[in-house]
Amino acid sequence: MNIITPKPSRAGSVDFVDGHTRLYGILGHPIEQVRTPETVTYELRRRGINAIVLPIHVRPEELDDCIPGLMKIANLDGLVVTIPHKKTITGHLDRIGPLAEISGSASVIARSKDDKWVGEMFDGNGCVSAMLRRGVELAGKHVFLLGAGGAGVAIASTLARTGVAQISLQDPDAARSADLHDRIGKWFPNVVISRNAPSLDEIDVLINASSVGMLDASRIPIDIKEIPERVVVMDAIMDPDRTRLIALAEECGCATVYGREMLDSQIEVVSDFLLDSRDLLAADIKFP
Amino acid sequence: MNIITPKPSRAGSVDFVDGHTRLYGILGHPIEQVRTPETVTYELRRRGINAIVLPIHVRPEELDDCIPGLMKIANLDGLVVTIPHKKTITGHLDRIGPLAEISGSASVIARSKDDKWVGEMFDGNGCVSAMLRRGVELAGKHVFLLGAGGAGVAIASTLARTGVAQISLQDPDAARSADLHDRIGKWFPNVVISRNAPSLDEIDVLINASSVGMLDASRIPIDIKEIPERVVVMDAIMDPDRTRLIALAEECGCATVYGREMLDSQIEVVSDFLLDSRDLLAADIKFP
């Protein structure tokens, strides 16, 4: 036979994944729009962990069949959970944190040292942490919260847990506004919760947790022309960076907290929870 | 309140994973030693695909519970399967290729356009492709195959399918040697299959598919001092690169094919199968 001489090996390799890589994911439907793979993978690598956060696309009708299988992947240590799976996921957990209990939803789940799955709702944590880091005092304050959807529930319960004195709610959907009102009333009897629009002179903090103003810098979630200078204004919307509400607040001289600050805070808190849980028994995991 | 001014966003990001990334995996136990994540990810990226091949660690007793869940991940398009899952995985497939049928095992599974899972055994393909690419003629030849384990079965059935005339088997484990003998006899009645050691003067190709010589360049899987110059010698072992068998063959002037050439060929064939299957109905998938 005429044997051709060997060519050098063509097998190239990448340096961002190998047999030791620990897996995390963000579970959602749809999935293409998520940014968690880029940002939380970056944060885990910054901390020296050989890990990757994957987009995991699971359709709502398949979630209950998929999750038990996912949990059997021995090198999968945790999942960020997004729309529309946050409620359903709680049925698969061995232990949930207080904010998951109150909201009936979890945004992050992690495997504990004793191979249990523990979850908590962190969606309000980024908002509250961003304000606390900026020196906004929340204990004893009166917060006017616009939006009682998923983000509103998470933010309201986190605010209540942080010790605000009073929360006034505004949401055009009366049913979910009533539901949030009842949840806060039940879990935080010391917090005054109201569905009546307050005078802006009474409030300390105004938070937009509705989607009004998202991708549209001309819209504003509340019919106001002016905000008292002493009110701190936060908008949970990240796109645009400077919403119409933030712009108005800044024109009025108010201190403002941007949606992107919420994201920064959340990446740190979520990474802490994912990594710390690995070394703790489920019963010993502390919720932030 | 004393509000601190905002800091610029700290959220960094990585560029090798995002919401559009398609997922592949290598399924095994243990998993840390695998090289497929680095090499097949590289090959897929070289072809312009936003994809990543993950290490997926599943314990044998959990495989049957895990696989149905994994298959529900809508952006997971395929899996490479390694020890000890190659046999078990076949029970989860909608269609298997001829070499998977013969060996009772699959080494790669892929999702078809109509959301079915199709699998084939490619472990012999790398070996045979590496030889064909080097100009080794196999049709009508007599091959002496050392080792009737998983690799031996895969290589023998691929050789038989490629049209070799005769295969002589050697394996100290009589039971698996007999099993391989019977499989080849059943599926390829035109191939002469023998469990008697041939004279080296009768053979055209000598292939080591046993683990003798792995990680130990002093060992050789057959008791010989010399190999006729006309025999082509291949060793499926990749570490060391130049096994004792290869060294002896080269001392005798034989043409040799190295284990790493098998790996190179396999990466291409596996990548083709994984990518092509996405666009085909399960019934239309062609096996190489």
Side-chain angles (χ1 to χ4, degrees), chain A residues 179-201:
Chain A
D179 175 67
L180 176 50
H181 179 274
D182 295 347
R183 282 176 197 266
I184 298 297
K186 176 183 163 196
W187 288 91
F188 302 100
N190 294 331
V191 175
V192 177
I193 176 93
S194 154
R195 296 170 60 198
N196 299 320
S199 154
L200 295 188
D201 293 325

Side-chain angles (χ1 to χ4, degrees), chain B residues 15 17 27 40 45 71 86 88-91 101 117-118 121 139 147-148 186 216 223 231 256 288:
Chain B
D15 61 4
V17 62
L27 199 67
V40 179
R45 302 254 164 163
M71 288 177 168
K86 292 179 189 187
T88 319
I89 198 73
T90 59
E101 175 94 35
W117 283 85
V118 175
M121 166 49 72
K186 175 183 165 197
D216 182 354
D223 183 23
V231 174
T256 54

Side-chain angles (χ1 to χ4, degrees), chain A residues 16-54:
Chain A
F16 52 81
V17 62
D18 61 37
H20 295 269
T21 303
R22 304 300 299 190
L23 308 181
Y24 295 91
I26 171 160
L27 198 68
H29 168 80
I31 202 68
E32 289 77 9
Q33 78 293 349
V34 298
R35 292 275 301 159
T36 307
E38 293 100 305
T39 55
V40 179
T41 300
Y42 177 89
E43 177 66 14
L44 297 176
R45 303 256 163 162
R46 196 184 64 75
R47 298 181 188 202
I49 313 291
N50 177 356
I52 188 164
V53 182
L54 308 161

Side-chain angles (χ1 to χ4, degrees), chain B residues 10-128:
Chain B
R10 281 181 303 262
S13 75
V14 300
D15 61 4
F16 51 80
V17 62
D18 62 36
H20 294 269
T21 303
R22 304 300 300 188
L23 309 181
Y24 294 90
I26 170 160
L27 199 67
H29 169 79
I31 201 69
E32 289 77 8
Q33 79 292 349
V34 299
R35 293 275 300 160
T36 307
E38 293 100 306
T39 56
V40 179
T41 302
Y42 177 89
E43 177 66 14
L44 296 176
R45 302 254 164 163
R46 195 183 66 74
R47 299 183 187 200
I49 313 291
N50 177 357
I52 188 165
V53 182
L54 308 161
I56 300 184
H57 180 201
V58 181
R59 299 192 177 84
E61 65 275 17
E62 315 231 82
L63 191 76
D64 284 330
D65 289 338
C66 182
I67 289 298
L70 275 181
M71 288 177 168
K72 300 226 177 273
I73 299 174
N75 57 336
L76 178 84
D77 292 334
L79 296 171
V80 176
V81 183
T82 189
I83 294 168
H85 300 316
K86 292 179 189 187
K87 283 192 194 298
T88 319
I89 198 73
T90 59
H92 295 274
L93 303 175
D94 298 299
R95 187 181 169 213
I96 61 173
L99 297 170
E101 175 94 35
I102 296 162
S103 63
S105 302
S107 68
V108 186
I109 71 173
R111 189 199 299 273
S112 64
K113 190 179 175 185
D114 48 343
D115 206 26
K116 306 281 183 200
W117 283 85
V118 175
E120 179 57 309
M121 166 49 72
F122 287 96
D123 287 356
N125 199 290
C127 170
V128 170

Side-chain angles (χ1 to χ4, degrees), chain A:
Chain A
M1 294 185 231
N2 240 334
I3 311 296
I4 301 157
T5 49
K7 284 183 278 188
S9 176
R10 284 180 303 261
S13 75
V14 299
D15 62 3
F16 52 81
V17 62
D18 61 37
H20 295 269
T21 303
R22 304 300 299 190
L23 308 181
Y24 295 91
I26 171 160
L27 198 68
H29 168 80
I31 202 68
E32 289 77 9
Q33 78 293 349
V34 298
R35 292 275 301 159
T36 307
E38 293 100 305
T39 55
V40 179
T41 300
Y42 177 89
E43 177 66 14
L44 297 176
R45 303 256 163 162
R46 196 184 64 75
R47 298 181 188 202
I49 313 291
N50 177 356
I52 188 164
V53 182
L54 308 161
I56 300 184
H57 180 202
V58 181
R59 297 190 178 87
E61 65 275 20
E62 314 231 83
L63 191 77
D64 284 330
D65 290 337
C66 181
I67 289 299
L70 275 181
M71 288 177 168
K72 302 232 177 266
I73 300 175
N75 57 336
L76 178 84
D77 292 335
L79 296 171
V80 176
V81 183
T82 190
I83 293 168
H85 300 315
K86 293 179 188 188
K87 283 192 194 299
T88 318
I89 197 73
T90 59
H92 295 274
L93 302 176
D94 298 298
R95 188 180 168 217
I96 60 172
L99 296 170
E101 174 94 36
I102 296 163
S103 62
S105 302
S107 67
V108 186
I109 71 172
R111 189 198 300 274
S112 64
K113 191 180 175 184
D114 48 340
D115 206 26
K116 306 282 184 199
W117 283 85
V118 175
E120 179 56 310
M121 167 46 73
F122 286 96
D123 287 356
N125 199 290
C127 169
V128 170
S129 295
M131 286 192 287
L132 293 175
R133 279 165 193 238
R134 286 281 299 285
V136 179
E137 289 158 24
L138 289 169
K141 300 295 178 177
H142 181 178
V143 178
F144 185 16
L145 178 65
L146 311 177
V153 174
I155 290 171
S157 48
T158 312
L159 285 168
R161 198 150 173 266
T162 308
V164 299
Q166 188 166 355
I167 301 173
S168 296
L169 289 176
Q170 176 187 294
D171 193 299
D173 182 331
R176 66 187 198 178
S177 177
D179 175 67
L180 176 50
H181 179 274
D182 295 347
R183 282 176 197 266
I184 298 297
K186 176 183 163 196
W187 288 91
F188 302 100
N190 294 331
V191 175
V192 177
I193 176 93
S194 154
R195 296 170 60 198
N196 299 320
S199 154
L200 295 188
D201 293 325
E202 296 168 26
I203 67 170
D204 303 296
V205 178
L206 172 64
I207 300 175
N208 178 36
S210 80
S211 59
V212 179
M214 192 183 291
L215 303 175
D216 182 354
S218 72
R219 297 188 66 208
I220 193 161
I222 184 173
D223 183 24
I224 47 174
K225 298 274 183 305
E226 243 183 318
I227 307 172
E229 193 178 337
R230 57 181 291 279
V231 174
V232 176
V233 177
M234 162 146 205
D235 200 323
I237 286 172
M238 276 176 254
D239 189 3
D241 187 47
R242 190 168 185 258
T243 60
R244 178 77 196 96
L245 178 65
I246 290 286
L248 172 65
E250 291 179 348
E251 287 158 19
C252 297
C254 302
T256 53
V257 183
Y258 284 58
R260 65 174 148 78
E261 297 177 62
M262 187 176 89
L263 180 67
D264 285 346
S265 293
Q266 201 161 358
I267 289 169
E268 286 199 26
V269 174
V270 166
S271 299
D272 287 346
F273 179 72
L274 288 172
L275 297 178
D276 292 349
S277 298
R278 303 176 305 172
D279 302 322
L280 294 169
L281 300 176
D284 295 336
I285 290 174
K286 298 268 187 302
F287 298 97

Side-chain angles (χ1 to χ4, degrees), chain B residues 26 96 103 155 186 194 207 214 225 240 243 255 264:
Chain B
I26 170 160
I96 61 173
S103 63
I155 290 172
K186 175 183 165 197
S194 154
I207 300 175
M214 193 182 290
K225 298 273 183 306
T243 60
D264 285 346

